[in-house]
Amino acid sequence: MAKRRQVPGRSTLDKDLGKFTYLEEAGQFVARSLVRPAAGLIFLVLAALLASLYVGTGPGGIAIIAGAALGAYMAINIGANDVTNNVGAAVGAQAITMVQALVIAAFFDAAGALLAGGEVVKTISSGIVQSGAMPSGAAFIWVMLSALLAAALSVNLATWLNAPVSTTHAIVGGVLGAGVAAAGFSAISWQSMREITLSWVLSPLISAVIAAGFLAFIYEFIAYRQNKIAAAVTWLPVLLGVMGGSFAAYLAFKGLENVVTITLGRAAAAGLVIGVATWAASKPLIRRRAMGLENRNQSLRKLFRLPLIFSAALLSFAHGANDVSNAIGPLSAIVHATSSNDLTQTVAVPLWVMTIGAFGISAGILLFGPRLILIVGKQITRLNPIRAFCVAISAAVTVLVASWFGLPVSSTHIAIGSVFGVGFFREWYMQNSKRRAAYIAMKAGENEVVKPKLKATPEEARRRFLVRRSHFLTIIAAWVITVPVAALLGAAIYKILALLSL
């Protein structure tokens, strides 16, 4: 074997010091990689301490403390995996930076969970498993603990594999599997499961249609007009008014229900007033931003950046309101079961429980959000500020309406459905829109009749697709796999806990 060549002039001491330097650098790298998991573990400990302060020496203290830690673990995973649904489109369109996206998502997710998350929490905690069918209160508590751990583990694994999945599917599957393991199939409220499953099927379709509708409106009335800047000054405030009004109506009807009772009619009236006020207030702002802009698409995208940021905040609020139930719904049921023998009563949501869910989601966003935040924004179809605005507002409206009716929909599938809606509509519009063809002909200075295009070959047609078809398989796989995997894991964990408690 050839001898190792010695570096001239380098002493043994220098080589030893170099080895120590490499070890130090390696140690620093490992330490940096452990900072975020350590911070997450600290949050779990703090959640358990908060629960211990609430429980004191009361009954079921260990179960509540364990549930608080698992609920915090699930909340962190929700923030880490679902943050792509809130701000992925905005980051993919380069409207905001990664740091800005994380701050917006963390703040508004927590606000949505605290102000408007109660209705959906009741559905998750008491709408899937018929608590009266449980063999005992202890069995019901084991079911909720098993569901939390099963869902958290499955979402954690998906995040590690860079796969955005439905955290709602995970928690519903965990509750379903543990409930069947505890009391058989009769313990499941199949009517609630049918409603939840129907919402999973319909919500991405609805969000796709809404997103395509917004994009069609923008194309027809703004983007392909001769004076697109003037059209944007006219119509962009209207879009902002619609968004602000729908957000205000939802907040008035659901977000303030614990403070004052507001009927649906009054909430709609409040939304109308706020919508008109938003329209009026945004008109001078959009007009000032449009001054000096050239009549081109790049200028139009600049006008949509600020509304896109607002829509991303709205979507984050909606996500917090809807998906906080996935973390603290079972925890609320555990707290209720330890303090009441009547498991059929409506489950109340203590403020400290809601706080764990809200801040847990924010912690997951800040600690682990960047890992998946670009997947929805760039890997399905190409987004710019205009298309990302349509995705965000469509997803926000869909999630808000679902939360309004107490349906735990999948925000992941809603967001992806919106992206697909935008992408497929663009494909259709580019091939079939007479307005776009006339606009292109005008820009090219063609005053003669546009020559008909030759029919594209199948291979050429596939290259013109604006949406990656392979993502359909990914979505279907996530849809099919998440629920049964979480259910089997929940059933297995319940059996283990039941054996250990003997």
Side-chain angles (χ1 to χ4, degrees):
M1 185 175 65
K3 293 183 179 180
R4 185 177 179 182
R5 188 173 63 90
Q6 298 292 330
V7 179
R10 188 177 182 187
S11 65
T12 304
L13 178 60
D14 291 334
K15 288 187 285 187
D16 291 340
L17 290 175
K19 294 178 182 178
F20 281 112
T21 301
Y22 293 144
L23 289 174
E24 183 179 359
E25 292 176 353
Q28 291 176 353
F29 177 79
V30 172
R32 284 196 299 269
S33 65
L34 295 176
V35 167
R36 288 178 294 177
L41 182 60
I42 291 173
F43 182 81
L44 266 61
V45 173
L46 291 176
L49 290 176
L50 178 62
S52 65
L53 293 176
Y54 167 79
V55 174
T57 58
I62 296 178
I64 294 177
I65 293 173
L70 292 178
Y73 178 39
M74 182 62 184
I76 289 176
N77 282 289
I78 291 172
N81 197 282
D82 279 2
V83 67
T84 59
N85 311 330
N86 310 338
V87 295
V91 175
Q94 299 180 349
I96 55 178
T97 65
M98 180 68 72
V99 174
Q100 291 170 337
L102 294 176
V103 172
I104 290 173
F107 177 81
F108 283 97
D109 256 279
L114 290 172
L115 294 176
E119 184 68 21
V120 181
V121 165
K122 296 175 184 177
T123 302
I124 287 288
S125 60
S126 58
I128 299 174
V129 174
Q130 297 178 4
S131 52
M134 289 290 107
S136 63
F140 181 71
I141 292 175
W142 292 133
V143 166
M144 294 295 117
L145 288 174
S146 302
L148 274 175
L149 183 55
L153 289 175
S154 60
V155 176
N156 200 164
L157 176 62
T159 304
W160 183 71
L161 295 174
N162 292 329
V165 296
S166 169
T167 57
T168 304
H169 289 192
I171 192 65
V172 170
V175 173
L176 181 66
V180 170
F185 288 94
S186 61
I188 305 302
S189 176
W190 294 111
Q191 177 62 31
S192 295
M193 285 301 304
R194 282 191 292 269
E195 294 175 358
I196 293 172
T197 304
L198 181 63
S199 70
W200 288 345
V201 176
L202 293 179
S203 57
L205 298 178
I206 293 173
S207 65
V209 171
I210 293 175
F214 276 112
L215 187 59
F217 181 89
I218 292 172
Y219 279 171
E220 288 295 309
F221 290 96
I222 301 177
Y224 291 112
R225 293 285 176 171
Q226 185 172 359
N227 192 340
K228 58 185 65 182
I229 300 301
V233 171
T234 300
W235 289 110
L236 185 52
V238 175
L239 294 174
L240 293 177
V242 171
M243 184 167 56
S246 61
F247 172 75
Y250 170 78
L251 180 60
F253 185 64
K254 284 298 178 184
L256 303 178
E257 64 178 350
N258 295 327
V259 180
V260 60
T261 302
I262 300 178
T263 63
L264 179 60
R266 291 183 178 179
L272 179 61
V273 172
I274 297 298
V276 173
T278 303
W279 166 77
S282 61
K283 285 183 65 177
L285 176 62
I286 298 299
R287 188 179 297 112
R288 284 195 301 269
R289 290 178 61 86
M291 292 179 60
L293 293 179
E294 298 180 13
N295 189 36
R296 49 200 296 260
N297 288 334
Q298 189 64 32
S299 301
L300 197 62
R301 292 165 187 167
K302 292 179 181 179
L303 291 178
F304 272 87
R305 280 200 176 96
L306 185 60
L308 177 57
I309 295 173
F310 182 80
S311 63
L314 172 59
L315 182 57
S316 296
F317 184 95
H319 175 262
N322 193 77
D323 279 20
V324 68
S325 60
N326 299 339
I328 65 170
L331 176 57
S332 300
I334 292 171
V335 175
H336 175 76
T338 58
S339 60
S340 175
N341 293 326
D342 188 2
L343 300 180
T344 62
Q345 293 179 351
T346 301
V347 175
V349 184
L351 179 60
W352 68 270
V353 172
M354 191 69 76
T355 302
I356 290 176
F359 287 98
I361 292 177
S362 295
I365 291 172
L366 294 173
L367 293 174
F368 306 104
R371 186 178 179 93
L372 293 177
I373 204 168
L374 296 178
I375 291 180
V376 173
K378 288 189 174 182
Q379 291 191 3
I380 295 177
T381 189
R382 185 177 179 182
L383 296 175
N384 62 19
I386 296 175
R387 297 190 285 270
F389 172 81
C390 297
V391 169
I393 189 174
S394 169
V397 171
T398 306
V399 174
L400 287 172
V401 171
S403 186
W404 194 318
F405 289 101
L407 296 176
V409 296
S410 166
S411 59
T412 300
H413 289 180
I414 287 176
I416 295 177
S418 299
V419 175
F420 273 125
V422 164
F424 283 127
F425 176 77
R426 285 183 64 214
E427 289 184 1
W428 176 89
Y429 193 83
M430 291 180 68
Q431 297 295 325
N432 299 280
S433 173
K434 295 180 180 179
R435 176 176 294 280
R436 180 180 181 274
Y439 175 84
I440 293 176
M442 179 197 68
K443 297 296 290 183
E446 298 176 1
N447 296 321
E448 300 177 359
V449 178
V450 179
K451 297 180 180 180
K453 296 181 179 180
L454 296 177
K455 186 176 181 180
T457 64
E459 182 63 28
E460 291 174 342
R462 282 193 294 271
R463 286 200 302 265
R464 294 175 185 175
F465 285 157
L466 301 177
V467 179
R468 297 181 182 178
R469 266 51 176 177
S470 61
H471 282 279
F472 268 127
L473 298 177
T474 302
I475 293 174
I476 293 174
W479 193 300
V480 172
I481 292 174
T482 304
V483 173
V485 166
L488 291 174
L489 191 57
I493 293 174
Y494 175 82
K495 291 297 185 181
I496 293 173
L497 292 178
L499 290 175
L500 292 177
S501 63
L502 293 178

